[in-house]
Amino acid sequence: MPAVIALAASISGCEPQNAVHRPEITAAGEVVLRKGNGAEPQTLDPHRAQGVPEANILRDLYEGLVSESPDGRLIPG
């Protein structure tokens, strides 16, 4: 669960959206990916979210483990 909180906190950072995202390795050996989101989200409740910052985070949180390619094959999400 702490990894989810760290991910959510790092996703809502203040760096520009076009910033290059590079994973970093912490002293504890954990891999951290910091992803800029622009503005702070107003809510992460899927039923109340209205803006782009909320949609960016919710899309990442609820992405499936697999997706379908244009030719119908299953690919990693």
Side-chain angles (χ1 to χ4, degrees):
M1 188 62 150
V4 173
I5 294 170
L7 177 62
S10 67
I11 289 174
S12 64
C14 297
E15 70 183 28
Q17 274 189 300
N18 59 357
V20 177
H21 308 297
R22 293 190 182 109
E24 65 182 67
I25 300 176
T26 66
E30 299 173 327
V31 177
V32 177
L33 175 65
R34 300 190 193 282
K35 181 177 175 184
N37 191 47
E40 287 294 314
Q42 296 299 312
T43 181
L44 291 180
D45 181 347
H47 298 285
R48 297 180 61 208
Q50 295 179 355
V52 173
E54 293 88 354
N56 290 338
I57 294 172
L58 291 171
R59 181 189 61 240
D60 290 344
L61 288 175
Y62 292 109
E63 178 181 16
L65 295 176
V66 294
S67 294
E68 190 173 336
S69 69
D71 64 357
R73 292 181 305 122
L74 294 179
I75 57 174

